[in-house]
Amino acid sequence: MDPSNLTTGIPEVQQDIPYLRYVLVTVFFLPCAILIFVENTFVLLAYKRDKRIRRNTTNAYILNLAVADILVSVVMAIYVPVYLTGTWKFGGAFCVVMWVLDYTATDMSVMTIVAISVDRYLMVHNSLRHLSRQSHKKVAIICSILWMTCLSSRSTLAFTYSSRTGFLHDENRIGVCDIGYGKNLVVLIIMFLIEFLVPAICVFVLNLTVYFRLKRRTNRLQTRQGRYHLPSAVSLDDRASQTTSCENDDMRIHRSASGSQHQKAARFLALLLSVFVLCWLPFYINECYTYFRFSGVRNEALTHLVSFVLWLNSAINPFLYAFTNVFFKENFKQFLRCKGR
């Protein structure tokens, strides 16, 4: 092969790669970051301006979820120059900080989803007791503990690991902002368990339990209706759920005395789990495949793609949580029409 063709061919390939990056970033990545920021900002504004939303303590978890997802959009925006140029130009220390923020934001998003599922379970298990014990202060304490736990654990892991592996003195690794979690099997397994497998199992078990409880409740109600030939016979727990729904109007989970709407809500929560798995599973499949097949040497394009899919979960969350609430939707429509209240 003619050497002159090789030398002339290299610049052409190098020019194609930046062009492809520009297209992907401008068409997909950056618009997604903006969408995540706008959607979740709407959630924050709606919570602040509408007393009906603030009256329901469960919506405080949705507020916390929106804060975590906004942080995800900020991290994505900071990564834009890396995706455009293929290099990290902000130094090793700031790279470690970005890893901390990135993983803290995604961890908090996952932990909040688990907290919302726990709240649903407690509401269905015993509505009156849950309402009497739940408060905004308690939710704020729970969310604060989650934030401090995620931030402290991620900071400890990132700075300790980068120090032990000499990341801050390795210009090549700093140039691509790769701390190297994927090259350590113990770290990879711990992250897989804490970030994905355990939360997924918890959400699945809680939602499945909610579904069967509501199904049994509906069966009991139908039995009573058939026995007494009444158009509607409502148990104490169902009355509590019906009364609660008038105040909370929360994701259609407490609106029907018969329990049929509860079952629809339980099936809807199963959709949340499906979305979570589809967004997170490709990331860990790629991490495991890279470790066992290529000894931790990453395919940067594939890594960016699965990371983008993972972050996409933060764009879907507002549709799954806040946008299903009638009070949130009213505020969102007013925001889009630029109408004040």
Side-chain angles (χ1 to χ4, degrees), residues 97-141:
V97 172
M98 285 304 302
W99 275 65
V100 172
L101 294 178
D102 184 0
Y103 280 93
T104 297
T106 50
D107 286 353
M108 275 304 305
S109 183
V110 173
M111 293 300 104
T112 306
I113 290 174
V114 174
I116 292 174
S117 297
V118 171
D119 185 79
R120 307 294 186 209
Y121 169 80
L122 294 175
M123 175 63 74
V124 173
H125 178 69
N126 194 321
S127 301
L128 294 178
R129 180 189 297 178
H130 181 66
L131 288 174
S132 64
R133 294 182 177 182
Q134 189 66 287
S135 66
H136 286 88
K137 182 178 180 180
K138 183 177 292 186
V139 174
I141 293 174

Side-chain angles (χ1 to χ4, degrees), residues 11 14 25 49 51 69 72 111 120 166 181 198 228 255 307 318 332:
Q14 290 176 344
V25 170
R49 74 197 298 264
K51 294 181 179 179
D69 289 336
V72 170
M111 293 300 104
R120 307 294 186 209
Y181 285 171
V198 174
Y228 298 107
R255 289 184 185 172
S307 297
F332 296 152

Side-chain angles (χ1 to χ4, degrees), residues 191-248:
M191 289 171 53
F192 174 75
L193 292 175
I194 295 177
E195 286 189 334
F196 177 74
L197 187 60
V198 174
I201 292 175
C202 289
V203 173
F204 174 76
V205 171
L206 288 169
N207 291 337
L208 193 65
T209 303
V210 166
Y211 174 79
F212 283 115
R213 281 184 177 274
L214 296 174
K215 186 176 182 179
R216 287 196 299 267
R217 182 179 299 176
T218 302
N219 291 337
R220 289 198 305 267
L221 178 62
Q222 292 174 347
T223 301
R224 291 177 182 179
Q225 290 176 343
R227 182 181 303 171
Y228 298 107
H229 304 286
L230 295 176
S232 177
V234 185
S235 66
L236 178 60
D237 285 345
D238 293 321
R239 285 199 185 104
S241 295
Q242 189 176 19
T243 304
T244 302
S245 69
C246 297
E247 297 179 358
N248 294 336

Side-chain angles (χ1 to χ4, degrees), residues 2 15 32 44 56 60 86 109 111 135 137-138 163 179 225 231 243-244 293-294 339:
D2 188 358
Q15 289 175 2
C32 181
L44 299 184
N56 182 4
S109 183
M111 293 300 104
S135 66
K137 182 178 180 180
K138 183 177 292 186
S163 177
I179 294 182
Q225 290 176 343
T243 304
T244 302
R293 182 68 175 84
F294 300 106
K339 291 184 178 180

Side-chain angles (χ1 to χ4, degrees), residues 244-303:
T244 302
S245 69
C246 297
E247 297 179 358
N248 294 336
D249 190 31
D250 186 22
M251 280 181 34
R252 305 186 306 275
I253 198 168
H254 307 302
R255 289 184 185 172
S256 175
S258 67
S260 61
Q261 293 297 330
H262 294 265
Q263 294 185 22
K264 291 180 180 179
R267 289 193 293 268
F268 181 77
L269 292 176
L271 174 63
L272 305 181
L273 178 63
S274 301
V275 170
F276 173 74
V277 171
L278 290 175
C279 288
W280 279 78
L281 191 57
F283 177 83
Y284 280 106
I285 290 178
N286 178 64
E287 291 290 308
C288 294
Y289 180 77
T290 299
Y291 177 83
F292 290 106
R293 182 68 175 84
F294 300 106
S295 301
V297 180
R298 298 173 181 270
N299 181 320
E300 292 300 323
L302 184 58
T303 300

